[in-house]
Amino acid sequence: MNDAKTEPLLPTADLHRWVAELWLAAGSDAREATLTADHLVGANLSGHDSHGVGMIPKYVLSWQAGELQLNRQVSVVQQAGSLLSLDGNRGMGQAVTEQAMAMAIERAREHGVCVMGLRHSHHLGRVGHWAEQACAAGMISIHFVNVLSKPIVAPHGGYEARYGTNPFTIGVPVPDAPPLVLDFATSAIALGKVRVAHNKGVPVPPGCLVDAEGHPTTDAGVMYPADGAARGALLGFGEHKGYVLAMMCELLGAAVTGGHTIRPETLTHRHAVWNNMLAIVFDPARLADSTAFGHEVQAFVDWVRASRRQPGCDAILLPGEPEREARRRRAEAIPIDAGTLAELDDAAARVEAATGRSPGPLSRLCGR
Protein backbone atom coordinates (compact mmCIF):
# COMPACT_ATOMS: atom_id res chain seq x y z
CA MET A 1 0.00 0.00 0.00
CA ASN A 2 1.25 3.47 -0.74
CA ASP A 3 2.37 5.80 2.02
CA ALA A 4 -0.48 8.14 2.89
CA LYS A 5 0.42 11.78 3.48
CA THR A 6 -2.08 12.00 6.33
CA GLU A 7 -0.56 9.11 8.31
CA PRO A 8 1.69 9.85 11.28
CA LEU A 9 5.38 9.66 10.41
CA LEU A 10 7.84 8.04 12.81
CA PRO A 11 11.56 8.78 12.47
CA THR A 12 13.07 5.46 11.44
CA ALA A 13 15.92 5.54 13.97
CA ASP A 14 13.54 6.45 16.81
CA LEU A 15 11.15 3.67 15.84
CA HIS A 16 13.98 1.12 15.88
CA ARG A 17 15.11 2.33 19.30
CA TRP A 18 11.55 2.14 20.66
CA VAL A 19 11.05 -1.45 19.48
CA ALA A 20 14.36 -2.56 20.99
CA GLU A 21 13.57 -0.82 24.29
CA LEU A 22 10.11 -2.40 24.40
CA TRP A 23 11.53 -5.92 24.22
CA LEU A 24 14.30 -5.10 26.67
CA ALA A 25 11.57 -3.97 29.04
CA ALA A 26 9.71 -7.24 28.45
CA GLY A 27 12.84 -9.21 29.33
CA SER A 28 14.67 -9.89 26.06
CA ASP A 29 18.45 -9.76 26.14
CA ALA A 30 20.24 -7.16 24.01
CA ARG A 31 20.80 -9.51 21.07
CA GLU A 32 17.17 -10.59 20.86
CA ALA A 33 15.81 -7.07 21.30
CA THR A 34 18.10 -5.70 18.58
CA LEU A 35 17.40 -8.52 16.11
CA THR A 36 13.65 -8.11 16.66
CA ALA A 37 13.86 -4.38 16.04
CA ASP A 38 16.11 -4.90 13.00
CA HIS A 39 13.64 -7.32 11.48
CA LEU A 40 10.32 -5.62 12.25
CA VAL A 41 11.45 -2.12 11.35
CA GLY A 42 13.24 -3.61 8.35
CA ALA A 43 9.91 -5.01 7.13
CA ASN A 44 8.34 -1.55 7.37
CA LEU A 45 11.35 -0.08 5.59
CA SER A 46 10.84 -2.62 2.82
CA GLY A 47 7.23 -1.52 2.37
CA HIS A 48 5.77 -4.60 4.06
CA ASP A 49 3.86 -3.01 6.93
CA SER A 50 1.99 -6.31 7.21
CA HIS A 51 5.10 -7.90 8.76
CA GLY A 52 6.49 -4.85 10.52
CA VAL A 53 5.99 -3.24 13.91
CA GLY A 54 2.22 -3.75 13.59
CA MET A 55 2.87 -7.37 14.65
CA ILE A 56 4.08 -6.25 18.08
CA PRO A 57 0.65 -6.11 19.77
CA LYS A 58 0.07 -9.78 18.87
CA TYR A 59 3.57 -10.68 20.06
CA VAL A 60 2.92 -8.95 23.39
CA LEU A 61 -0.36 -10.81 23.89
CA SER A 62 1.44 -14.07 23.09
CA TRP A 63 4.18 -13.21 25.60
CA GLN A 64 1.63 -12.30 28.27
CA ALA A 65 -0.14 -15.64 27.72
CA GLY A 66 3.12 -17.54 28.26
CA GLU A 67 3.20 -18.70 24.65
CA LEU A 68 6.10 -16.67 23.21
CA GLN A 69 9.27 -17.50 25.18
CA LEU A 70 12.03 -14.89 25.35
CA ASN A 71 15.79 -15.53 25.12
CA ARG A 72 15.53 -19.04 23.71
CA GLN A 73 18.24 -20.69 21.62
CA VAL A 74 17.65 -23.31 18.96
CA SER A 75 18.23 -26.94 19.88
CA VAL A 76 19.81 -29.41 17.48
CA VAL A 77 17.40 -32.33 17.09
CA GLN A 78 19.41 -34.19 14.45
CA GLN A 79 22.41 -33.44 12.25
CA ALA A 80 24.05 -35.57 9.63
CA GLY A 81 26.21 -34.16 6.86
CA SER A 82 24.14 -31.67 4.90
CA LEU A 83 20.97 -32.30 6.94
CA LEU A 84 20.13 -30.21 9.98
CA SER A 85 17.02 -30.46 12.16
CA LEU A 86 16.44 -27.67 14.68
CA ASP A 87 13.84 -26.77 17.30
CA GLY A 88 13.11 -23.10 17.98
CA ASN A 89 11.72 -23.88 21.46
CA ARG A 90 8.85 -21.39 21.04
CA GLY A 91 11.40 -18.58 20.97
CA MET A 92 11.22 -15.16 19.34
CA GLY A 93 11.26 -15.92 15.63
CA GLN A 94 13.49 -13.00 14.74
CA ALA A 95 16.22 -14.35 17.03
CA VAL A 96 15.97 -18.13 16.69
CA THR A 97 15.62 -18.00 12.89
CA GLU A 98 18.70 -15.79 12.57
CA GLN A 99 20.60 -18.40 14.56
CA ALA A 100 19.14 -21.27 12.53
CA MET A 101 20.02 -19.62 9.21
CA ALA A 102 23.58 -18.90 10.40
CA MET A 103 23.97 -22.59 11.22
CA ALA A 104 22.55 -23.62 7.84
CA ILE A 105 24.86 -21.22 5.99
CA GLU A 106 27.89 -22.57 7.82
CA ARG A 107 26.92 -26.15 7.00
CA ALA A 108 26.37 -25.19 3.33
CA ARG A 109 29.87 -23.73 3.25
CA GLU A 110 31.18 -27.08 4.46
CA HIS A 111 29.07 -29.43 2.36
CA GLY A 112 27.92 -27.22 -0.51
CA VAL A 113 24.31 -27.57 0.58
CA CYS A 114 22.26 -27.69 3.76
CA VAL A 115 18.69 -28.87 4.08
CA MET A 116 17.52 -27.31 7.33
CA GLY A 117 14.27 -27.89 9.17
CA LEU A 118 13.24 -25.42 11.86
CA ARG A 119 10.20 -26.27 13.94
CA HIS A 120 8.41 -24.61 16.85
CA SER A 121 9.46 -21.03 16.17
CA HIS A 122 7.31 -18.08 17.14
CA HIS A 123 6.37 -15.92 14.14
CA LEU A 124 9.55 -15.64 12.08
CA GLY A 125 8.40 -12.53 10.24
CA ARG A 126 9.16 -11.55 6.65
CA VAL A 127 10.74 -14.67 5.18
CA GLY A 128 12.56 -12.59 2.57
CA HIS A 129 14.72 -11.36 5.44
CA TRP A 130 16.13 -14.87 5.84
CA ALA A 131 16.71 -15.25 2.11
CA GLU A 132 18.64 -11.98 2.24
CA GLN A 133 20.74 -13.36 5.10
CA ALA A 134 21.68 -16.33 2.90
CA CYS A 135 22.34 -14.13 -0.14
CA ALA A 136 24.65 -11.91 1.90
CA ALA A 137 26.73 -15.04 2.48
CA GLY A 138 26.73 -15.86 -1.25
CA MET A 139 24.15 -18.63 -0.89
CA ILE A 140 20.92 -19.39 -2.73
CA SER A 141 18.07 -20.30 -0.38
CA ILE A 142 14.59 -21.73 -0.89
CA HIS A 143 12.04 -21.59 1.93
CA PHE A 144 8.75 -23.41 2.55
CA VAL A 145 6.87 -22.14 5.62
CA ASN A 146 3.60 -23.05 7.30
CA VAL A 147 1.66 -20.80 9.67
CA LEU A 148 0.12 -22.37 12.75
CA SER A 149 -2.51 -19.89 13.88
CA LYS A 150 -6.23 -19.55 13.28
CA PRO A 151 -7.05 -20.96 9.81
CA ILE A 152 -7.64 -17.96 7.55
CA VAL A 153 -7.29 -19.22 3.95
CA ALA A 154 -9.93 -21.26 2.13
CA PRO A 155 -8.90 -24.10 -0.19
CA HIS A 156 -9.65 -23.72 -3.87
CA GLY A 157 -13.33 -24.49 -4.35
CA GLY A 158 -14.20 -24.04 -0.66
CA TYR A 159 -14.97 -21.06 1.53
CA GLU A 160 -14.25 -22.34 5.03
CA ALA A 161 -10.70 -21.48 6.08
CA ARG A 162 -8.41 -24.46 6.51
CA TYR A 163 -4.81 -23.17 6.64
CA GLY A 164 -2.60 -20.08 6.84
CA THR A 165 -0.91 -17.76 4.36
CA ASN A 166 2.05 -20.18 4.03
CA PRO A 167 4.82 -18.11 2.40
CA PHE A 168 7.18 -19.33 -0.32
CA THR A 169 10.54 -17.62 -0.77
CA ILE A 170 13.66 -17.85 -2.94
CA GLY A 171 16.78 -15.71 -2.64
CA VAL A 172 19.47 -15.64 -5.36
CA PRO A 173 22.71 -13.68 -4.88
CA VAL A 174 23.92 -11.82 -7.98
CA PRO A 175 27.63 -11.05 -8.40
CA ASP A 176 28.30 -7.31 -8.09
CA ALA A 177 24.56 -6.52 -7.85
CA PRO A 178 21.72 -6.70 -5.31
CA PRO A 179 20.15 -10.14 -4.83
CA LEU A 180 16.97 -11.34 -6.48
CA VAL A 181 14.42 -12.11 -3.76
CA LEU A 182 11.04 -13.73 -4.43
CA ASP A 183 8.91 -13.64 -1.29
CA PHE A 184 5.14 -13.98 -1.24
CA ALA A 185 2.23 -15.41 0.68
CA THR A 186 0.38 -18.19 -1.13
CA SER A 187 -2.85 -16.34 -0.34
CA ALA A 188 -3.97 -13.56 -2.67
CA ILE A 189 -3.01 -11.07 0.04
CA ALA A 190 -1.19 -11.44 3.36
CA LEU A 191 -3.35 -11.23 6.47
CA GLY A 192 -1.17 -8.39 7.73
CA LYS A 193 -2.12 -6.34 4.70
CA VAL A 194 -5.79 -7.03 5.50
CA ARG A 195 -5.08 -5.86 9.07
CA VAL A 196 -3.50 -2.65 7.79
CA ALA A 197 -6.48 -2.03 5.48
CA HIS A 198 -8.87 -2.68 8.37
CA ASN A 199 -7.01 -0.24 10.63
CA LYS A 200 -7.04 2.39 7.88
CA GLY A 201 -10.69 1.78 7.03
CA VAL A 202 -9.96 1.11 3.35
CA PRO A 203 -11.02 -1.84 1.14
CA VAL A 204 -8.72 -4.61 -0.05
CA PRO A 205 -8.43 -5.37 -3.78
CA PRO A 206 -11.14 -7.56 -5.35
CA GLY A 207 -10.48 -11.29 -5.48
CA CYS A 208 -8.78 -11.53 -2.09
CA LEU A 209 -11.59 -12.25 0.40
CA VAL A 210 -14.89 -14.00 0.87
CA ASP A 211 -17.28 -13.36 3.73
CA ALA A 212 -18.56 -16.00 6.15
CA GLU A 213 -21.16 -17.15 3.59
CA GLY A 214 -18.59 -17.47 0.81
CA HIS A 215 -19.54 -14.29 -1.06
CA PRO A 216 -16.71 -12.21 -2.61
CA THR A 217 -16.02 -8.98 -0.69
CA THR A 218 -13.48 -6.16 -0.42
CA ASP A 219 -14.37 -5.43 3.22
CA ALA A 220 -11.33 -6.17 5.39
CA GLY A 221 -13.64 -6.24 8.41
CA VAL A 222 -14.85 -9.76 7.53
CA MET A 223 -11.54 -11.02 8.95
CA TYR A 224 -12.06 -9.11 12.20
CA PRO A 225 -15.69 -9.76 13.18
CA ALA A 226 -17.04 -8.39 16.43
CA ASP A 227 -18.64 -10.36 19.27
CA GLY A 228 -17.68 -13.81 18.06
CA ALA A 229 -19.39 -13.53 14.68
CA ALA A 230 -18.25 -15.86 11.91
CA ARG A 231 -15.07 -14.89 10.14
CA GLY A 232 -14.55 -14.70 6.39
CA ALA A 233 -11.56 -16.19 4.60
CA LEU A 234 -8.68 -15.23 2.36
CA LEU A 235 -8.43 -16.81 -1.07
CA GLY A 236 -5.35 -18.33 -2.65
CA PHE A 237 -3.49 -16.43 -5.34
CA GLY A 238 -3.96 -17.67 -8.90
CA GLU A 239 -6.94 -19.88 -8.00
CA HIS A 240 -5.75 -23.51 -7.81
CA LYS A 241 -2.06 -22.60 -8.20
CA GLY A 242 -1.79 -20.74 -4.90
CA TYR A 243 -3.80 -23.45 -3.19
CA VAL A 244 -1.57 -26.34 -4.22
CA LEU A 245 1.61 -24.38 -3.45
CA ALA A 246 0.20 -23.62 0.01
CA MET A 247 -0.44 -27.32 0.51
CA MET A 248 3.19 -28.10 -0.30
CA CYS A 249 4.42 -25.35 2.03
CA GLU A 250 2.27 -26.85 4.80
CA LEU A 251 3.60 -30.35 4.29
CA LEU A 252 7.25 -29.52 3.58
CA GLY A 253 7.42 -26.74 6.19
CA ALA A 254 5.73 -28.69 8.97
CA ALA A 255 5.20 -32.41 8.43
CA VAL A 256 8.71 -32.94 7.02
CA THR A 257 10.43 -30.90 9.77
CA GLY A 258 8.60 -32.54 12.68
CA GLY A 259 6.35 -29.55 13.27
CA HIS A 260 2.57 -29.51 13.34
CA THR A 261 0.27 -28.95 10.41
CA ILE A 262 -2.76 -26.79 11.09
CA ARG A 263 -5.67 -28.86 12.42
CA PRO A 264 -8.13 -28.44 15.31
CA GLU A 265 -5.98 -30.80 17.41
CA THR A 266 -2.90 -28.57 17.03
CA LEU A 267 -4.59 -25.21 17.59
CA THR A 268 -4.29 -25.19 21.38
CA HIS A 269 -2.84 -21.68 21.71
CA ARG A 270 -4.72 -18.40 21.82
CA HIS A 271 -2.41 -15.65 20.61
CA ALA A 272 0.83 -17.13 19.26
CA VAL A 273 1.69 -17.51 15.61
CA TRP A 274 3.91 -20.59 15.31
CA ASN A 275 5.98 -21.20 12.20
CA ASN A 276 7.79 -24.23 10.86
CA MET A 277 10.22 -23.86 7.96
CA LEU A 278 12.13 -26.06 5.56
CA ALA A 279 15.08 -24.16 4.07
CA ILE A 280 17.39 -25.42 1.34
CA VAL A 281 20.60 -23.39 1.37
CA PHE A 282 23.32 -24.03 -1.18
CA ASP A 283 26.41 -22.52 -2.74
CA PRO A 284 25.84 -21.80 -6.46
CA ALA A 285 29.61 -21.77 -7.03
CA ARG A 286 29.61 -25.54 -6.42
CA LEU A 287 27.38 -25.98 -9.49
CA ALA A 288 28.88 -23.40 -11.86
CA ASP A 289 31.75 -20.96 -11.52
CA SER A 290 30.76 -17.48 -10.39
CA THR A 291 31.72 -15.87 -13.72
CA ALA A 292 29.39 -18.12 -15.75
CA PHE A 293 26.61 -17.77 -13.17
CA GLY A 294 26.88 -13.99 -13.07
CA HIS A 295 26.98 -13.74 -16.87
CA GLU A 296 23.85 -15.83 -17.33
CA VAL A 297 21.94 -13.90 -14.66
CA GLN A 298 22.85 -10.54 -16.17
CA ALA A 299 22.15 -11.68 -19.73
CA PHE A 300 18.69 -12.91 -18.77
CA VAL A 301 17.92 -9.77 -16.76
CA ASP A 302 18.89 -7.58 -19.72
CA TRP A 303 16.68 -9.65 -22.03
CA VAL A 304 13.69 -9.40 -19.70
CA ARG A 305 14.09 -5.65 -19.16
CA ALA A 306 14.24 -5.09 -22.93
CA SER A 307 10.59 -6.09 -23.30
CA ARG A 308 8.35 -3.33 -24.60
CA ARG A 309 6.33 -2.01 -21.66
CA GLN A 310 2.58 -1.75 -21.38
CA PRO A 311 1.01 1.72 -21.20
CA GLY A 312 1.47 3.20 -17.74
CA CYS A 313 4.35 0.91 -16.80
CA ASP A 314 7.47 2.94 -16.00
CA ALA A 315 9.83 0.00 -15.60
CA ILE A 316 10.01 -3.78 -15.55
CA LEU A 317 11.05 -4.58 -12.02
CA LEU A 318 13.06 -7.54 -10.76
CA PRO A 319 12.28 -9.54 -7.61
CA GLY A 320 13.47 -7.47 -4.65
CA GLU A 321 13.49 -4.09 -6.40
CA PRO A 322 10.20 -2.82 -4.91
CA GLU A 323 11.63 -3.47 -1.43
CA ARG A 324 14.85 -1.60 -2.22
CA GLU A 325 12.88 1.35 -3.54
CA ALA A 326 10.75 1.39 -0.39
CA ARG A 327 13.91 1.40 1.76
CA ARG A 328 15.16 4.48 -0.07
CA ARG A 329 11.78 6.19 0.29
CA ARG A 330 11.40 5.38 3.98
CA ALA A 331 15.01 5.75 5.09
CA GLU A 332 14.29 8.75 7.32
CA ALA A 333 10.66 8.21 8.38
CA ILE A 334 8.08 5.43 8.32
CA PRO A 335 4.30 6.04 8.12
CA ILE A 336 2.15 4.19 10.65
CA ASP A 337 -1.62 4.46 10.51
CA ALA A 338 -3.47 5.80 13.55
CA GLY A 339 -5.14 2.47 14.33
CA THR A 340 -1.85 0.59 14.43
CA LEU A 341 -0.26 3.41 16.45
CA ALA A 342 -2.97 3.11 19.09
CA GLU A 343 -2.42 -0.67 19.26
CA LEU A 344 1.33 -0.13 19.75
CA ASP A 345 0.70 2.37 22.55
CA ASP A 346 -1.52 -0.25 24.20
CA ALA A 347 1.22 -2.88 23.80
CA ALA A 348 3.70 -0.59 25.57
CA ALA A 349 1.22 -0.07 28.39
CA ARG A 350 0.77 -3.84 28.74
CA VAL A 351 4.52 -4.37 29.02
CA GLU A 352 4.78 -1.62 31.63
CA ALA A 353 1.91 -3.10 33.64
CA ALA A 354 3.62 -6.50 33.62
CA THR A 355 7.23 -5.46 34.27
CA GLY A 356 7.19 -1.88 35.50
CA ARG A 357 9.31 -0.89 32.50
CA SER A 358 8.40 0.59 29.14
CA PRO A 359 9.73 2.94 26.44
CA GLY A 360 6.45 4.85 26.76
CA PRO A 361 3.81 5.38 24.09
CA LEU A 362 5.11 5.34 20.54
CA SER A 363 2.73 8.13 19.58
CA ARG A 364 4.86 10.64 21.47
CA LEU A 365 7.56 10.21 18.80
CA CYS A 366 5.30 11.25 15.92
CA GLY A 367 6.49 14.24 13.92
CA ARG A 368 9.95 14.41 15.45
Side-chain angles (χ1 to χ4, degrees):
M1 294 186 180
N2 295 329
D3 301 350
K5 295 180 180 179
T6 58
E7 290 176 0
L9 287 174
L10 278 295
T12 301
D14 289 348
L15 180 60
H16 185 281
R17 187 178 307 110
W18 184 90
V19 175
E21 289 177 355
L22 179 78
W23 289 108
L24 287 170
S28 290
D29 60 26
R31 171 185 174 273
E32 180 170 275
T34 299
L35 287 173
T36 303
D38 289 347
H39 188 117
L40 294 177
V41 176
N44 287 105
L45 276 170
S46 300
H48 295 293
D49 297 331
S50 55
H51 290 66
V53 298
M55 291 299 302
I56 289 175
K58 191 165 186 64
Y59 289 11
V60 168
L61 290 173
S62 179
W63 165 71
Q64 283 186 303
E67 296 168 353
L68 166 59
Q69 303 297 306
L70 303 184
N71 303 317
R72 293 293 178 93
Q73 303 289 314
V74 298
S75 299
V76 176
V77 180
Q78 295 186 58
Q79 54 182 328
S82 61
L83 298 176
L84 184 61
S85 176
L86 304 172
D87 195 304
N89 295 307
R90 309 299 190 191
M92 182 73 83
Q94 285 71 19
V96 297
T97 312
E98 191 276 340
Q99 183 185 12
M101 286 299 299
M103 295 170 69
I105 289 165
E106 185 59 35
R107 193 160 289 252
R109 285 198 179 104
E110 179 181 356
H111 298 283
V113 61
C114 178
V115 179
M116 183 268 285
L118 173 65
R119 65 197 192 200
H120 303 153
S121 168
H122 199 264
H123 186 243
L124 50 78
R126 185 178 74 89
V127 184
H129 186 98
W130 311 120
E132 289 166 354
Q133 182 180 348
C135 288
M139 302 289 173
I140 291 175
S141 65
I142 305 170
H143 306 254
F144 302 87
V145 180
N146 90 316
V147 183
L148 199 64
S149 184
K150 293 182 178 68
I152 55 174
V153 184
H156 183 61
Y159 68 86
E160 291 181 318
R162 284 296 182 263
Y163 53 88
T165 54
N166 292 6
F168 174 66
T169 302
I170 302 175
V172 178
V174 180
D176 303 317
L180 302 176
V181 180
L182 175 157
D183 180 28
F184 56 74
T186 49
S187 53
I189 187 174
L191 179 64
K193 295 185 186 299
V194 181
R195 184 195 73 241
V196 172
H198 180 61
N199 285 343
K200 290 181 177 181
V202 299
V204 300
C208 296
L209 297 176
V210 291
D211 63 20
E213 286 74 45
H215 302 129
T217 181
T218 60
D219 178 13
V222 301
M223 298 303 295
Y224 301 93
D227 302 324
R231 180 195 301 261
L234 297 168
L235 298 174
F237 83 86
E239 299 183 336
H240 62 285
K241 296 179 181 180
Y243 160 58
V244 294
L245 183 55
M247 288 285 289
M248 292 303 179
C249 287
E250 187 79 24
L251 297 176
L252 293 176
V256 169
T257 64
H260 289 136
T261 59
I262 188 168
R263 294 171 284 113
E265 296 83 358
T266 61
L267 297 175
T268 58
H269 52 285
R270 184 177 178 189
H271 298 292
V273 178
W274 304 126
N275 284 138
N276 304 287
M277 177 175 73
L278 178 70
I280 303 168
V281 181
F282 64 96
D283 183 356
R286 302 286 187 101
L287 296 175
D289 66 74
S290 58
T291 301
F293 172 67
H295 170 77
E296 283 301 322
V297 170
Q298 191 59 54
F300 182 63
V301 165
D302 291 344
W303 164 246
V304 169
R305 286 195 190 276
S307 172
R308 287 182 290 180
R309 297 191 297 271
Q310 295 179 9
C313 178
D314 296 328
I316 294 174
L317 299 178
L318 301 177
E321 285 189 334
E323 288 79 5
R324 288 192 290 276
E325 172 55 32
R327 289 166 194 159
R328 288 190 289 270
R329 189 174 66 248
R330 293 182 166 194
E332 299 300 324
I334 292 173
I336 298 181
D337 65 87
T340 299
L341 193 60
E343 291 176 353
L344 289 165
D345 284 352
D346 178 70
R350 287 175 177 273
V351 171
E352 185 169 17
T355 69
R357 301 172 59 200
S358 166
L362 181 61
S363 56
R364 66 184 173 84
L365 303 179
C366 291
R368 279 194 174 188

